[in-house]
Amino acid sequence: MSANCIFCKIIKNEIPSLKIYETSKTLAFMDIGPTAPGHALVIPKYHGAKLHNIPDEHLYEILPIAKRIALALDLAIESPEGEGYNVLQNNGRIAHQMVDHVHFHLIPKRDSTSGLVVGWPESEEGKAKIKEIHAKLEAAFKAVEESSPIKI
Ligand code: 5GP
Ligand code: ZN
């Protein structure tokens, strides 16, 4: 827990929130600034700014809980144009992260005017370097995995 973190304060009930579900490790609640009706957040109770700062055992529940909230949103929110949704998790200011406590956005996408607008420009540099980066990434991943083995 971090004393100055707004999401840690929500976990500790020091500031109010509209909670949806919680366990000893995970909390789901409504986003106070929704980009679409039903916009919700799922967070580990462990404080860490970026995904790689969170120990695996504090991440295992996140996707099963997010999945069930997505199903509940489909039941709870009207869907005039379909039942899509985006799961978004930002890391770092340059990647649009404003709250430095890991959070997964669940954003219903019901029509073209609300919800997440995704820009997907193709990177010429990315294309040109795809094989070179793949080789570096494979080696780097091995080093990461060796220092922090995945245990499931
Ligand atoms: P980020 O840009 O860091 O990925 O998203 C942070 C999210 O946290 C935003 O969607 C914002 O509306 C939400 N948020 C910020 N402060 C509060 C708060 O005090 N309560 C709740 N429920 N959501 C918050
Ligand atoms: Zn926190």
Side-chain angles (χ1 to χ4, degrees), residues 6-7 10 29-33 90 96-99 103 105:
I6 196 138
F7 285 177
I10 285 176
F29 57 105
M30 301 306 288
D31 192 300
I32 205 170
N90 299 328
H96 307 287
Q97 182 179 20
M98 297 311 294
V99 176
H103 49 283
H105 297 262

Side-chain angles (χ1 to χ4, degrees), residues 18 30-41 105-108 114-116:
L18 293 171
M30 301 306 288
D31 192 300
I32 205 170
T35 186
H39 183 169
L41 299 171
H105 297 262
L106 268 168
I107 307 173
S114 68
L116 189 68

Side-chain angles (χ1 to χ4, degrees), residues 19-30:
K19 294 186 179 176
I20 303 163
Y21 181 72
E22 78 180 304
T23 69
S24 62
K25 288 198 170 103
T26 311
L27 174 65
F29 57 105
M30 301 306 288

Side-chain angles (χ1 to χ4, degrees), residues 16 66 76 81 106 137 142 145 147:
E81 290 180 36
L106 268 168
L137 186 57
K142 263 185 203 143
E145 224 281 317
S147 70

Side-chain angles (χ1 to χ4, degrees), residues 1-9 11 43-48 99-102:
M1 292 279 179
S2 163
N4 297 321
C5 170
I6 196 138
F7 285 177
C8 284
K9 286 181 182 168
I11 291 164
I43 65 172
K45 290 188 173 178
Y46 184 99
H47 176 85
V99 176
D100 289 336
H101 180 128
V102 163

Side-chain angles (χ1 to χ4, degrees), residues 120-135 137:
W120 209 279
E122 218 168 70
S123 160
E124 285 309 317
E125 187 189 0
K127 252 201 236 172
K129 292 185 175 169
I130 192 163
K131 284 188 179 158
E132 174 194 334
I133 294 186
H134 172 250
L137 186 57

